[in-house]
Every structure is written in C-alpha cells, then in structure tokens.
Amino acid sequence: GAVVSQHPSRVICKSGTSVKIECRSLDFQATTMFWYRQFPKQSLMLMATSNEGSKATYEQGVEKDKFLINHASLTLSTLTVTSAHPEDSSFYICSARAGTGITEAFFGQGTRLTVV
Amino acid sequence: GQNIDQPTEMTATEGAIVQINCTYQTSGFNGLFWYQQHAGEAPTFLSYNVLDGLEEKGRFSSFLSRSKGYSYLLLKELQMKDSASYLCAVNGNAGNMLTFGGGTRLMVKP
C-alpha cells in the first residue's frame, strides 16, 4: 500500500511553545490530508481536513488559530500546535487518500505530543 | 449527523472466532472501512465494504447490510497478536472524510 510518513514520532515541549508536525505522502499525491487527535483509550477524532493550496476545514470545537494547518504541496501537510498547553498532550495522526474517489486512507505513524 | 456504534471491549480465547459489530447512522454512505490499531500505533487497513455481503480476506472477513446500517468484522483462528483496537469507519457524503466509531478493544487470552 501507499506510504504516509509522519514525524516526529514523539515530542516533548514546554508549555507555551509551538510544535510542528509533518505529514508526507511518499509515493502518491494526496489532494486531501486529514488530521486526527486521539486521547488514551479513545477513538480518532477528526480535527481538520487539509486541502492542497487552500485553507483547511476545521471541525467544530477545534481552534484554527491554535492548530495551524498548511498544505503547500500535494505531498506535504503540516500541523503546528501553537502555544501548547498540557491539555494538548495527545496522539496526533495524519492520513491521506490518493485521488478523489473512495479509496482507503493511509495513516502516518502518529506523533505522541507531551506538553510539560 | 453521524453516529457510529461499536462495543467498547471484547474478550476472546486464542484459536476461537470473534465477531465485532458496528451500527451506523450517517448522512450519506459511500463505504465502510475496518481498521486495526495496536496501542500507540497508527491504524492499519483491514477491509472495505460498499456493497451488501461478505468480503473475506484470510482470517478476517467483513459483512455489510446497508439497509440495516450494520456491519461486522469476523476474526477467525484468533492469535495473541490480534489483541488490538478495531475501528469501524464510514465514508459519508461530505468531503471524502472518514468518521470513526469509538473502537472495540479486543483482548485475546490463551
């Protein structure tokens, strides 16, 4: 299957700092990428849909000024958690789908963010 | 709105068969996916159903009934490594995005 690379896999940062997470589709072009957050023992919650060359679409309750998403190319999307707080500590996962048809989503490895 | 339900936890014995159910109520339907997720890792694709019926893939099978808004994932000859969370996800109408159920944590015991 297609490969989606996400890094860093783990990051620890101080409260008030910003953290950038990268998501790359390595062997296909991803017009759309999705960013999820997952708290322990819970399912994936969609945060935003990232479309190449346009502004991301955020789900209700997700602060767009806090979670900055950039999708500058067909193979790269980034999520920046700004002014991180301990409650932002979570597992962040990106996924990408090839093309616009109904295809399986390929997931990145996930990023474990810990804010201290 | 979107509503996807699946049991929170299940326990089964090594070598046995287990069925994980998923019911959904979504605005539009363009297919249902099952993913496996081990703790701390990203989900991995197991199956995709868009038409009614059973899709078999080795030890894993998935069934869909669109009229009932129902799917199940069947795992045969359970192995210890099958202990994981199993996520049911529906592709609705909007934006080609997946909506995930809460996941079912399966524990396989010797």
Side-chain angles (χ1 to χ4, degrees), chain B residues 32-96:
Chain B
L32 185 145
F33 295 79
W34 282 96
Y35 284 85
Q36 180 192 61
Q37 185 181 26
H38 285 97
E41 299 180 11
T44 55
F45 171 79
L46 291 178
S47 68
Y48 169 65
N49 295 70
V50 67
L51 299 176
D52 290 351
L54 187 69
E55 294 281 342
E56 297 187 76
K57 190 182 292 185
R59 295 191 298 115
F60 292 56
S61 303
S62 57
F63 171 83
L64 175 68
S65 170
R66 289 172 296 172
S67 62
K68 296 182 179 179
Y70 167 69
S71 172
Y72 67 72
L73 178 70
L74 193 72
L75 293 77
K76 303 176 185 176
E77 301 171 15
L78 280 173
Q79 302 174 10
M80 299 299 291
K81 67 178 182 179
D82 296 330
S83 293
S85 285
Y86 291 86
L87 306 173
C88 170
V90 173
N91 196 122
N93 276 339
N96 205 27

